[in-house]
């Protein structure tokens, strides 16, 4: 019965969203993206993120990935801060490792990223929104610097080649 004191409506809703996302029929691509964007208390594996980045080079898979990712970033309630943060983390990974279209798409959604500068959510006295605010600022800075994007994409390519990943 001790566990009941830690349960609140937001936690129940997060669990329900994860269960719904796991249960609904979906393609392999959708399943991978939903796995990355879960409410779970840990991040996605780099191999899963790299698989999604490779999928962005596929003309048919790219819009599916972006739709799910932007839904997670733009349409979350504050208690879903973890999903927003994971969406931003996925976006950063795609800008560095995905197709060039990921950079263009991120720039086209810069208004959404800028709106996250004001993201707030507190669990008691703990500011859970700080990670979202910082990550969105980092992404805006990155997207505004073409040279830095080139450098980051080159570094990511070298890392993939060094560790045996498929270089694109």
């Amino acid at each position: 019965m001790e566990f009941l004191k830690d349960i609140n409506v937001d936690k129940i809703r997060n669990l329900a969203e994860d269960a719904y996302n796991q249960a609904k029929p979906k393609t392999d691509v959708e399943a991978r993206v939903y796995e990355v964007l879960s409410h779970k208390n840990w991040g996605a594996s780099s191999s899963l993120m790299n698989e999604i980045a490779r999928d962005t080079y596929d003309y048919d898979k790219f819009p599916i990935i972006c739709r799910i990712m932007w839904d997670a970033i733009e349409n979350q309630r504050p208690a879903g801060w973890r999903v927003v943060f994971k969406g931003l983390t996925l976006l950063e990974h795609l800008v560095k490792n995905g197709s060039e279209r990921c950079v263009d798409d991120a720039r086209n959604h810069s208004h959404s990223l800028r709106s996250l500068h004001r993201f707030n959510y507190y669990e008691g006295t703990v500011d859970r929104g700080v990670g979202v605010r910082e990550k969105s600022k980092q992404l805006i800075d990155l997207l505004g610097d073409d040279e830095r994007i080139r450098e980051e994409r080159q570094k990511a390519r070298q890392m993939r080649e060094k560790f045996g990943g498929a270089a694109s």
Side-chain angles (χ1 to χ4, degrees):
M1 296 303 276
E2 186 69 23
F3 71 93
L4 288 177
K5 72 178 184 180
D6 291 333
I7 293 180
N8 64 36
V9 174
D10 289 327
K11 286 184 182 181
I12 292 169
R13 188 168 175 187
N14 290 349
L15 289 170
E17 285 176 9
D18 278 346
Y20 175 77
N21 286 338
Q22 290 296 318
K24 70 181 173 183
K26 54 191 159 285
T27 65
D28 289 344
V29 175
E30 290 171 325
R32 284 191 291 272
V33 177
Y34 280 120
E35 186 177 339
V36 167
L37 299 174
S38 74
H39 287 280
K40 293 178 181 140
N41 197 19
W42 56 82
S45 70
S46 58
S47 59
L48 184 59
M49 299 275 271
N50 287 334
E51 223 174 307
I52 294 170
R54 276 192 300 276
D55 286 341
T56 63
Y57 288 90
D58 183 301
Y59 182 79
D60 295 323
K61 294 176 182 176
F62 176 81
I64 295 167
I65 294 166
C66 289
R67 175 184 49 80
I68 297 169
M69 179 185 64
W70 287 112
D71 280 349
I73 292 171
E74 296 173 337
N75 299 326
Q76 279 297 321
R77 58 202 160 72
W81 64 270
R82 190 173 282 127
V83 174
V84 177
F85 184 80
K86 288 180 176 187
L88 293 171
T89 302
L90 176 60
L91 176 61
E92 180 181 37
H93 189 80
L94 295 181
V95 165
K96 294 177 181 179
N97 295 278
S99 73
E100 285 286 337
R101 292 171 62 192
C102 296
V103 176
D104 296 335
D105 188 59
R107 285 180 171 153
N108 290 338
H109 285 86
S110 62
H111 61 282
S112 297
L113 297 173
R114 280 191 178 83
S115 72
L116 293 173
H117 290 354
R118 297 181 303 278
F119 187 90
N120 276 308
Y121 181 69
Y122 286 86
E123 282 180 356
T125 59
V126 180
D127 182 3
R128 298 293 186 188
V130 69
V132 171
R133 291 190 301 273
E134 288 299 317
K135 184 67 83 173
S136 67
K137 287 176 187 168
Q138 291 168 4
L139 278 164
I140 288 292
D141 291 345
L142 175 63
L143 293 169
D145 187 344
D146 288 339
E147 184 59 34
R148 187 161 155 231
I149 289 174
R150 264 192 296 284
E151 290 170 6
E152 293 290 344
R153 290 179 65 83
Q154 182 62 33
K155 272 194 264 183
R157 187 176 301 111
Q158 289 169 348
M159 291 298 280
R160 283 193 308 272
E161 291 167 357
K162 179 178 178 180
F163 293 108
S168 301

